[in-house]
Amino acid sequence: MKNGKFKRVLLTALISCAFSVNINLVYALPNSFWTVNTKYEAALKADDNPSIIKYGNELIALMRNVEDSDEKRDILVTRYNAVGKAYAAMGDYDNSAVTFKALYDCGSANSYKYYDYLVSAKARTAQYASDIRMYTEGGKSPYYGAKNERQNGVLFGVCSNGGIRSKLDNESMILIYQELGQTLLSYNKSMVSSARSSGCAVEFALNCPNQGKDISDIKKMGSYLKEISELFDKYSDVPVFLRFAAEFDIWDKNLTDPESYKAAFRYVSEYFKSRNSNVAMVWSPNQVSRWDIDIDDYYPGDAYVDWVGMSLYAQKYFLGSKSSSEENEIVFKTGINSEPVIAVKDIIDKYGSRKPIMISESGCGHYVKTQNENTTEFALRRLKEYYSYLPMVYPQIKLIAYFDYYVDGETNDFRLSSNNTLCNEYLRLTKTGRFVQDSFNNSTDLCYREITDGINLESVFSISCYAHSYNDTLKSVAYYIDGKYLGMSNEIPFTTYIDAAGYFGKHSLSCVALFESGKTLTRDSTVNIGEAGKGVKVNISGKTVSFDQEPIIYNDRTMVPMRKIFEALGADVNWDGNSKTASGKRGDRTVKITVGSKKMYVNSKVIDLDAPSFVLSDRTLVPVRAIAEGLGCDVEWDNRTYTVDITPKVFKWSEWMKKLPENIDADLYYIEKKEQYRYRDKEYFELSNRYSLAGNYVRTETSYGDWSEWQSSYISENEGTEVQTRTQSSPVSYHYAHWCTGDISDSSHRYRTSNYKFCDEAIYHDLGWFDSPLPYSEDSDSDYTHYINGEKHRCSNSCWRWYLVETSGGDYTEYRYRKIYRKYIYWQWGDWSEFSDREPDYSFTRDVETRILYRYKEK
């Protein structure tokens, strides 16, 4: 995603500085010129730097009185160049800087002709010139009203896949990379969503992998830009810094011309500005351009640019080579030339008066693969300068992103996550007061101001120092008022706090910067120091605490010596010199506070402070209210007597409750819990009828009455009656008879007999009962013949057919019954008992419910 920028960019960007200017020997020069010039040329040939300086400066002085011409400038430019290099070779970098500045001023009248000289001279002037400045707090950050600009403070974070993010819990922005024309990564979508959840801003680096070709094809990519725009619209509450076509000034393929680049940038800017209210456009060159490029030619215009960014990488060797020329090291700002205040100065000077600045990606190389060399010491110092000097010296810088990732083929390893020393230092530095913590929407009030003549200072004030001496390392800075030593620091940015209570009014404030070479730089300013406030008294439980360093008021907060206040409150004290962290343990509470940080920890809880702790007269001062409250005390301020009254709290248990308040946890509170019980039993009842809604059905209980006597009458069975039957038998008798038609007057009806009465005139003739059936008639199987003495027996009308009228006896059914009595058993829960601490007996007929109650008190 980083596109191997250093290897690709600088290899193609370099043009060797083979300086040569032809001098027209016919040009009329002072007679003395030739005598001196002969000595000068001999010195050049002998590489005699003192003589080069002596005779070169004499030639320069002679030429000042010569009429201006191209020939004159030729001579001056070449002599300035030789003398400037000779000064540098002898370690006199300040005079070298002055000389190269003169070369730059002289040659600028014909910048095309002297282009190579000017590029080198400008870089050398910036690097060689010594510089020392003092800063204090209370500054006002410039505000440009740009899109997504914070009023004050520096947003910070790393690339989304940076390994350090697992430890980085306070980032306020995330750097995401997307290649133009390639599928919008699901990972990038998820990271924008994650930024919303964490409240972070997003720097969305839309790279041009095909460089100039992507620029020329940009208007063909409307559908692709639309997909990105829709992503930004979906998360419209996420501030987006859209860094398009960055590092154009070091591209090495499909090169683009300035007009084409500006047109493409303007097109993208207008596209997103018209669609996405949360997008700020970032124009971002590299910290050093190709030799033949002036980035001003590529600036799209203020209407299209919201922020100006830059890539800033510190490397110990140019292209990873120890044998690289001094010219390349200086011009391309590597090694000792990578000091960040100088490295960013040109871009900030050009654009920092009208646009907020971001370090859109950065890194400090701690391992050089080509040399197999560990350069942690180099990287560590640069990292401290990045995150200390840059936010102090340049309040225009409002975002710094770090590239915590390794790209295959890179010469340097810039990762924080692969170097514990850098990782820990980054985590410490980004917790200091200039950086916006945790979320884009948070704020910080710390901003520096340069101490210059006439500045007003409080009776207690912070002071920091930026000092630069080429090819030297700043060791310590000491501070003085009217020549009296008042404090020093040996850690970037060399901050200490001055108690100037005895210096009301106008005084001389000085700093003396000491470098490893033994060189010193001094800065003096006449300042106005405010009147000291009343003396502050601190009482604990009514008893006044005696301090070896008197309490002071700083930024409206009472500051007291750390060790004494911890001890006075009954806390065990510990000091970690590596992290500059003090801790005090009282009971089960531990308060930790780091010098310079505006965060305090009470156990693991983070408390934001109004004023950071600091060192004053060799004593670490801490805000007394925060410390005392952190250790579990009540604090009152009596403005009339300037007294802080501290009373240790007597903590009592709260009432038992079902749920703890949201702010109560085991970190700062003792928490007890207990289990309580209540129960209910099953209650049973009976119904005579079964109803489904009456309760929970259990069973039916059935009982019976006595059996009745047997009877032949039919009895039907139902829900309340049980019936039994039995079969009985008796001898069978057969009853025969017929209806006789012999006397019917209508002769046509006579003798028509059947077992049914034929008509009203028919006469019933009964034959009687027989113990066995009569035989059938010869011509019928439904009527019968009665024989007496072998002859058919006829009735008086001679009718011999008889019919079986009925039978008696044989099998028959008898019945008896008894009553059925049913009870339907149901159950339901009874009422709950009251909750009790006593656990009840358990059974299958009992329902038991538990609850947890809590109580708490402060530790």
Side-chain angles (χ1 to χ4, degrees), residues 117 250 376 387-388 490 494 760 833 856:
Y117 284 98
I250 54 173
T376 295
Y387 286 87
S388 297
N490 54 14
F494 302 96
D760 291 342
S833 68
Y856 64 90

Side-chain angles (χ1 to χ4, degrees), residues 136-139 152-153 432-435 444-448 462 596 598:
T136 188
E137 297 179 13
N152 184 37
T432 53
R434 277 292 284 150
F435 293 94
T444 178
D445 57 2
L446 174 60
C447 187
Y448 293 93
S462 71
K598 295 183 72 173

Side-chain angles (χ1 to χ4, degrees), residues 39-277:
K39 297 176 181 179
Y40 166 77
E41 289 183 348
L44 280 179
K45 186 175 182 180
D47 199 20
D48 180 357
N49 289 315
S51 296
I52 294 173
I53 294 170
K54 173 179 171 60
Y55 299 120
N57 280 330
E58 288 183 15
L59 292 173
I60 292 169
L62 287 170
M63 296 304 297
R64 289 196 183 110
N65 298 319
V66 174
E67 183 180 351
D68 192 31
S69 66
D70 289 343
E71 290 79 1
K72 173 183 175 178
R73 280 191 294 272
D74 289 345
I75 294 172
L76 285 175
V77 165
T78 54
R79 272 51 177 180
Y80 279 133
N81 184 64
V83 171
K85 288 185 175 181
Y87 275 128
M90 295 183 66
D92 187 353
Y93 297 108
D94 289 310
N95 274 318
S96 180
V98 171
T99 303
F100 278 112
K101 175 65 168 57
L103 187 160
Y104 189 84
D105 293 341
C106 175
S108 295
N110 192 342
S111 59
Y112 179 79
K113 180 177 183 180
Y114 305 117
Y115 184 82
D116 288 350
Y117 284 98
L118 296 178
V119 170
S120 176
K122 184 177 182 181
R124 289 179 182 272
T125 300
Q127 295 291 348
Y128 291 162
S130 296
D131 191 9
I132 182 169
R133 308 176 216 171
M134 293 183 288
Y135 292 86
T136 188
E137 297 179 13
K140 185 177 180 180
S141 174
Y143 182 69
Y144 308 88
K147 189 70 181 178
N148 298 337
E149 181 188 2
R150 306 298 294 147
Q151 180 70 48
N152 184 37
V154 181
L155 301 172
F156 74 97
V158 302
C159 53
S160 59
N161 53 354
I164 198 175
R165 291 194 66 225
S166 62
K167 300 179 181 179
L168 189 62
D169 58 0
N170 59 328
E171 63 186 349
S172 48
M173 59 78 59
I174 303 172
L175 171 57
I176 299 173
Y177 287 88
Q178 176 66 46
E179 302 300 295
L180 181 66
Q182 297 180 13
T183 303
L184 182 57
L185 299 175
S186 298
Y187 172 78
N188 286 347
K189 295 178 183 178
S190 70
M191 289 310 305
V192 177
S193 175
S194 174
R196 169 194 274 177
S197 301
S198 61
C200 287
V202 165
E203 180 191 339
F204 196 90
L206 187 55
N207 291 332
C208 293
N210 299 308
Q211 298 180 4
K213 187 176 187 306
D214 288 335
I215 293 298
S216 61
D217 291 345
I218 190 64
K219 291 187 178 180
K220 301 176 183 178
M221 298 184 179
S223 60
Y224 183 73
L225 298 178
K226 181 174 181 290
E227 186 179 14
I228 298 175
S229 174
E230 288 174 348
L231 173 65
F232 295 160
D233 186 58
K234 181 178 179 180
Y235 299 99
S236 58
D237 52 345
V238 176
V240 175
F241 300 95
L242 181 58
R243 179 169 64 116
F244 171 66
E247 301 171 358
F248 58 88
D249 51 336
I250 54 173
W251 285 353
D252 63 345
K253 59 184 179 181
N254 302 318
L255 299 181
T256 183
D257 62 274
E259 294 308 313
S260 296
Y261 177 86
K262 289 188 289 188
F265 192 98
R266 291 167 182 168
Y267 172 77
V268 172
S269 179
E270 289 177 336
Y271 185 95
F272 284 96
K273 284 177 177 291
S274 66
R275 290 166 172 80
N276 301 101
S277 61

